[in-house]
mmCIF file of all heavy atoms in Angstrom:
data_model
loop_
_atom_site.group_PDB
_atom_site.id
_atom_site.type_symbol
_atom_site.label_atom_id
_atom_site.label_comp_id
_atom_site.label_asym_id
_atom_site.label_seq_id
_atom_site.Cartn_x
_atom_site.Cartn_y
_atom_site.Cartn_z
ATOM 1 N N ALA Y 91 -12.386 -0.663 8.117
ATOM 2 C CA ALA Y 91 -11.882 -0.198 6.782
ATOM 3 C C ALA Y 91 -12.409 -1.046 5.677
ATOM 4 O O ALA Y 91 -12.791 -0.367 4.675
ATOM 5 C CB ALA Y 91 -10.352 -0.433 6.798
ATOM 6 N N GLU Y 92 -12.546 -2.274 5.749
ATOM 7 C CA GLU Y 92 -13.247 -3.070 4.725
ATOM 8 C C GLU Y 92 -14.668 -2.709 4.525
ATOM 9 O O GLU Y 92 -15.082 -2.627 3.321
ATOM 10 C CB GLU Y 92 -12.960 -4.625 5.102
ATOM 11 C CG GLU Y 92 -13.700 -5.487 4.128
ATOM 12 C CD GLU Y 92 -13.350 -5.382 2.626
ATOM 13 O OE1 GLU Y 92 -12.296 -4.771 2.420
ATOM 14 O OE2 GLU Y 92 -14.103 -5.812 1.846
ATOM 15 N N ARG Y 93 -15.303 -2.502 5.555
ATOM 16 C CA ARG Y 93 -16.758 -2.123 5.392
ATOM 17 C C ARG Y 93 -16.883 -0.745 4.860
ATOM 18 O O ARG Y 93 -17.924 -0.400 4.195
ATOM 19 C CB ARG Y 93 -17.424 -2.257 6.734
ATOM 20 C CG ARG Y 93 -17.439 -3.741 7.152
ATOM 21 C CD ARG Y 93 -18.196 -4.079 8.390
ATOM 22 N NE ARG Y 93 -18.211 -5.499 8.696
ATOM 23 C CZ ARG Y 93 -18.939 -6.171 9.590
ATOM 24 N NH1 ARG Y 93 -19.817 -5.467 10.261
ATOM 25 N NH2 ARG Y 93 -18.832 -7.452 9.747
ATOM 26 N N LEU Y 94 -16.065 0.156 5.146
ATOM 27 C CA LEU Y 94 -16.096 1.595 4.468
ATOM 28 C C LEU Y 94 -15.894 1.332 2.978
ATOM 29 O O LEU Y 94 -16.674 1.940 2.182
ATOM 30 C CB LEU Y 94 -15.093 2.450 5.091
ATOM 31 C CG LEU Y 94 -15.409 3.026 6.415
ATOM 32 C CD1 LEU Y 94 -14.138 3.737 7.091
ATOM 33 C CD2 LEU Y 94 -16.635 3.844 6.544
ATOM 34 N N ARG Y 95 -14.888 0.534 2.567
ATOM 35 C CA ARG Y 95 -14.671 0.270 1.241
ATOM 36 C C ARG Y 95 -15.888 -0.299 0.532
ATOM 37 O O ARG Y 95 -16.309 0.082 -0.478
ATOM 38 C CB ARG Y 95 -13.408 -0.683 1.045
ATOM 39 C CG ARG Y 95 -13.065 -0.979 -0.421
ATOM 40 C CD ARG Y 95 -12.426 -2.266 -0.483
ATOM 41 N NE ARG Y 95 -13.231 -3.376 -0.118
ATOM 42 C CZ ARG Y 95 -14.108 -3.955 -0.928
ATOM 43 N NH1 ARG Y 95 -14.454 -3.425 -2.121
ATOM 44 N NH2 ARG Y 95 -14.784 -4.932 -0.512
ATOM 45 N N PHE Y 96 -16.465 -1.283 1.132
ATOM 46 C CA PHE Y 96 -17.609 -1.932 0.590
ATOM 47 C C PHE Y 96 -18.783 -1.062 0.484
ATOM 48 O O PHE Y 96 -19.652 -1.187 -0.363
ATOM 49 C CB PHE Y 96 -17.970 -3.163 1.546
ATOM 50 C CG PHE Y 96 -19.085 -4.010 0.912
ATOM 51 C CD1 PHE Y 96 -18.887 -4.984 0.102
ATOM 52 C CD2 PHE Y 96 -20.425 -3.850 1.396
ATOM 53 C CE1 PHE Y 96 -19.995 -5.690 -0.547
ATOM 54 C CE2 PHE Y 96 -21.591 -4.493 0.869
ATOM 55 C CZ PHE Y 96 -21.230 -5.534 -0.054
ATOM 56 N N ALA Y 97 -19.042 -0.103 1.418
ATOM 57 C CA ALA Y 97 -20.131 0.808 1.467
ATOM 58 C C ALA Y 97 -20.168 1.542 0.197
ATOM 59 O O ALA Y 97 -21.253 1.982 -0.324
ATOM 60 C CB ALA Y 97 -20.122 1.659 2.689
ATOM 61 N N VAL Y 98 -18.994 1.821 -0.305
ATOM 62 C CA VAL Y 98 -19.038 2.796 -1.581
ATOM 63 C C VAL Y 98 -19.176 1.862 -2.796
ATOM 64 O O VAL Y 98 -19.854 2.219 -3.684
ATOM 65 C CB VAL Y 98 -17.560 3.447 -1.742
ATOM 66 C CG1 VAL Y 98 -17.540 4.164 -3.071
ATOM 67 C CG2 VAL Y 98 -17.423 4.422 -0.532
ATOM 68 N N ALA Y 99 -18.584 0.649 -2.763
ATOM 69 C CA ALA Y 99 -18.598 -0.242 -4.016
ATOM 70 C C ALA Y 99 -19.806 -1.016 -4.063
ATOM 71 O O ALA Y 99 -20.229 -1.619 -5.169
ATOM 72 C CB ALA Y 99 -17.367 -1.116 -3.921
ATOM 73 N N ALA Y 100 -20.645 -1.167 -2.973
ATOM 74 C CA ALA Y 100 -21.754 -2.182 -2.974
ATOM 75 C C ALA Y 100 -22.927 -1.768 -3.997
ATOM 76 O O ALA Y 100 -23.502 -2.645 -4.530
ATOM 77 C CB ALA Y 100 -22.246 -2.182 -1.509
ATOM 78 N N SER Y 101 -23.093 -0.464 -4.129
ATOM 79 C CA SER Y 101 -24.140 -0.031 -5.144
ATOM 80 C C SER Y 101 -23.785 1.119 -5.860
ATOM 81 O O SER Y 101 -23.039 2.080 -5.328
ATOM 82 C CB SER Y 101 -25.498 0.130 -4.356
ATOM 83 O OG SER Y 101 -25.284 1.093 -3.414
ATOM 84 N N PRO Y 102 -24.226 1.303 -7.163
ATOM 85 C CA PRO Y 102 -23.817 2.394 -7.885
ATOM 86 C C PRO Y 102 -24.400 3.778 -7.430
ATOM 87 O O PRO Y 102 -25.432 3.816 -6.703
ATOM 88 C CB PRO Y 102 -24.266 2.131 -9.311
ATOM 89 C CG PRO Y 102 -25.374 1.118 -9.106
ATOM 90 C CD PRO Y 102 -25.106 0.437 -7.849
ATOM 91 N N PHE Y 103 -23.846 4.935 -7.856
ATOM 92 C CA PHE Y 103 -24.413 6.206 -7.553
ATOM 93 C C PHE Y 103 -25.218 6.671 -8.711
ATOM 94 O O PHE Y 103 -25.028 6.100 -9.948
ATOM 95 C CB PHE Y 103 -23.268 7.229 -7.302
ATOM 96 C CG PHE Y 103 -22.506 6.936 -6.083
ATOM 97 C CD1 PHE Y 103 -21.561 5.975 -6.000
ATOM 98 C CD2 PHE Y 103 -22.760 7.608 -4.850
ATOM 99 C CE1 PHE Y 103 -20.732 5.698 -4.848
ATOM 100 C CE2 PHE Y 103 -22.062 7.373 -3.708
ATOM 101 C CZ PHE Y 103 -21.091 6.368 -3.738
ATOM 102 N N SER Y 104 -26.238 7.554 -8.522
ATOM 103 C CA SER Y 104 -26.970 7.962 -9.622
ATOM 104 C C SER Y 104 -26.766 9.441 -9.939
ATOM 105 O O SER Y 104 -26.816 10.252 -8.995
ATOM 106 C CB SER Y 104 -28.515 7.742 -9.284
ATOM 107 O OG SER Y 104 -29.374 8.127 -10.308
ATOM 108 N N TYR Y 105 -26.733 9.720 -11.235
ATOM 109 C CA TYR Y 105 -26.639 11.191 -11.536
ATOM 110 C C TYR Y 105 -27.408 11.428 -12.923
ATOM 111 O O TYR Y 105 -27.046 10.793 -13.954
ATOM 112 C CB TYR Y 105 -25.197 11.564 -11.806
ATOM 113 C CG TYR Y 105 -25.013 12.984 -12.291
ATOM 114 C CD1 TYR Y 105 -25.276 14.106 -11.379
ATOM 115 C CD2 TYR Y 105 -24.747 13.296 -13.558
ATOM 116 C CE1 TYR Y 105 -25.220 15.405 -11.871
ATOM 117 C CE2 TYR Y 105 -24.488 14.544 -14.066
ATOM 118 C CZ TYR Y 105 -24.779 15.628 -13.179
ATOM 119 O OH TYR Y 105 -24.734 17.003 -13.709
ATOM 120 N N GLU Y 106 -28.493 12.152 -12.828
ATOM 121 C CA GLU Y 106 -29.284 12.491 -14.009
ATOM 122 C C GLU Y 106 -29.625 11.131 -14.705
ATOM 123 O O GLU Y 106 -29.412 11.118 -15.947
ATOM 124 C CB GLU Y 106 -28.581 13.333 -14.875
ATOM 125 C CG GLU Y 106 -28.354 14.865 -14.277
ATOM 126 C CD GLU Y 106 -27.887 15.911 -15.271
ATOM 127 O OE1 GLU Y 106 -27.288 15.447 -16.324
ATOM 128 O OE2 GLU Y 106 -27.976 17.134 -15.012
ATOM 129 N N HIS Y 107 -30.153 10.266 -14.006
ATOM 130 C CA HIS Y 107 -30.677 9.008 -14.570
ATOM 131 C C HIS Y 107 -29.537 8.105 -15.114
ATOM 132 O O HIS Y 107 -29.758 7.040 -15.758
ATOM 133 C CB HIS Y 107 -31.690 9.258 -15.701
ATOM 134 C CG HIS Y 107 -32.823 10.124 -15.247
ATOM 135 N ND1 HIS Y 107 -33.736 9.806 -14.253
ATOM 136 C CD2 HIS Y 107 -33.133 11.362 -15.696
ATOM 137 C CE1 HIS Y 107 -34.498 10.818 -14.149
ATOM 138 N NE2 HIS Y 107 -34.207 11.729 -15.043
ATOM 139 N N THR Y 108 -28.299 8.380 -14.754
ATOM 140 C CA THR Y 108 -27.141 7.670 -15.152
ATOM 141 C C THR Y 108 -26.542 6.954 -13.961
ATOM 142 O O THR Y 108 -26.464 7.508 -12.936
ATOM 143 C CB THR Y 108 -25.995 8.446 -15.760
ATOM 144 O OG1 THR Y 108 -26.530 9.241 -16.828
ATOM 145 C CG2 THR Y 108 -24.822 7.731 -16.137
ATOM 146 N N SER Y 109 -26.350 5.665 -14.082
ATOM 147 C CA SER Y 109 -25.830 4.740 -12.927
ATOM 148 C C SER Y 109 -24.291 4.777 -12.963
ATOM 149 O O SER Y 109 -23.668 4.464 -14.012
ATOM 150 C CB SER Y 109 -26.289 3.382 -13.097
ATOM 151 O OG SER Y 109 -25.895 2.575 -11.997
ATOM 152 N N LEU Y 110 -23.614 5.286 -11.967
ATOM 153 C CA LEU Y 110 -22.158 5.448 -11.924
ATOM 154 C C LEU Y 110 -21.581 4.441 -10.795
ATOM 155 O O LEU Y 110 -21.737 4.592 -9.643
ATOM 156 C CB LEU Y 110 -21.739 6.873 -11.532
ATOM 157 C CG LEU Y 110 -22.425 7.957 -12.448
ATOM 158 C CD1 LEU Y 110 -22.089 9.300 -11.783
ATOM 159 C CD2 LEU Y 110 -21.796 7.858 -13.844
ATOM 160 N N ALA Y 111 -20.985 3.376 -11.382
ATOM 161 C CA ALA Y 111 -20.277 2.415 -10.460
ATOM 162 C C ALA Y 111 -19.019 3.063 -9.961
ATOM 163 O O ALA Y 111 -18.262 3.754 -10.702
ATOM 164 C CB ALA Y 111 -19.961 1.162 -11.202
ATOM 165 N N LEU Y 112 -18.705 2.887 -8.655
ATOM 166 C CA LEU Y 112 -17.596 3.660 -8.033
ATOM 167 C C LEU Y 112 -16.883 2.738 -6.964
ATOM 168 O O LEU Y 112 -17.485 1.857 -6.517
ATOM 169 C CB LEU Y 112 -18.078 4.910 -7.393
ATOM 170 C CG LEU Y 112 -17.058 6.005 -7.271
ATOM 171 C CD1 LEU Y 112 -16.625 6.596 -8.609
ATOM 172 C CD2 LEU Y 112 -17.722 7.190 -6.430
ATOM 173 N N SER Y 113 -15.656 2.930 -6.901
ATOM 174 C CA SER Y 113 -14.933 2.223 -5.750
ATOM 175 C C SER Y 113 -13.902 3.149 -5.120
ATOM 176 O O SER Y 113 -13.663 4.288 -5.731
ATOM 177 C CB SER Y 113 -14.184 1.037 -6.330
ATOM 178 O OG SER Y 113 -13.237 1.341 -7.226
ATOM 179 N N VAL Y 114 -13.339 2.720 -4.037
ATOM 180 C CA VAL Y 114 -12.329 3.487 -3.309
ATOM 181 C C VAL Y 114 -11.259 2.614 -2.954
ATOM 182 O O VAL Y 114 -11.364 1.425 -2.749
ATOM 183 C CB VAL Y 114 -12.890 4.323 -2.025
ATOM 184 C CG1 VAL Y 114 -14.004 5.253 -2.434
ATOM 185 C CG2 VAL Y 114 -13.409 3.199 -1.037
ATOM 186 N N SER Y 115 -9.992 3.234 -2.818
ATOM 187 C CA SER Y 115 -8.866 2.638 -2.305
ATOM 188 C C SER Y 115 -8.738 3.085 -0.824
ATOM 189 O O SER Y 115 -8.860 4.298 -0.596
ATOM 190 C CB SER Y 115 -7.651 2.754 -3.129
ATOM 191 O OG SER Y 115 -7.827 2.307 -4.439
ATOM 192 N N LEU Y 116 -8.200 2.289 0.102
ATOM 193 C CA LEU Y 116 -8.150 2.692 1.450
ATOM 194 C C LEU Y 116 -6.862 2.228 2.108
ATOM 195 O O LEU Y 116 -6.513 1.123 1.999
ATOM 196 C CB LEU Y 116 -9.340 2.113 2.234
ATOM 197 C CG LEU Y 116 -9.603 2.744 3.641
ATOM 198 C CD1 LEU Y 116 -11.179 2.747 4.028
ATOM 199 C CD2 LEU Y 116 -8.801 1.778 4.637
ATOM 200 N N GLY Y 117 -6.297 3.075 2.883
ATOM 201 C CA GLY Y 117 -5.144 2.708 3.687
ATOM 202 C C GLY Y 117 -5.451 3.049 5.191
ATOM 203 O O GLY Y 117 -5.941 4.132 5.544
ATOM 204 N N ALA Y 118 -5.084 2.093 6.017
ATOM 205 C CA ALA Y 118 -5.327 2.368 7.537
ATOM 206 C C ALA Y 118 -4.114 1.955 8.407
ATOM 207 O O ALA Y 118 -3.239 1.218 7.876
ATOM 208 C CB ALA Y 118 -6.472 1.415 7.968
ATOM 209 N N THR Y 119 -4.110 2.478 9.548
ATOM 210 C CA THR Y 119 -3.058 2.171 10.511
ATOM 211 C C THR Y 119 -3.612 2.448 11.884
ATOM 212 O O THR Y 119 -4.653 3.063 12.080
ATOM 213 C CB THR Y 119 -1.738 2.974 10.250
ATOM 214 O OG1 THR Y 119 -0.776 2.419 11.038
ATOM 215 C CG2 THR Y 119 -1.953 4.464 10.690
#
Side-chain angles (χ1 to χ4, degrees):
E92 171 59 19
R93 295 186 179 192
L94 288 172
R95 181 204 64 78
F96 184 85
V98 176
S101 59
F103 294 79
S104 178
Y105 176 72
E106 293 187 347
H107 309 294
T108 300
S109 182
L110 304 174
L112 204 67
S113 66
V114 296
S115 300
L116 188 150
T119 193

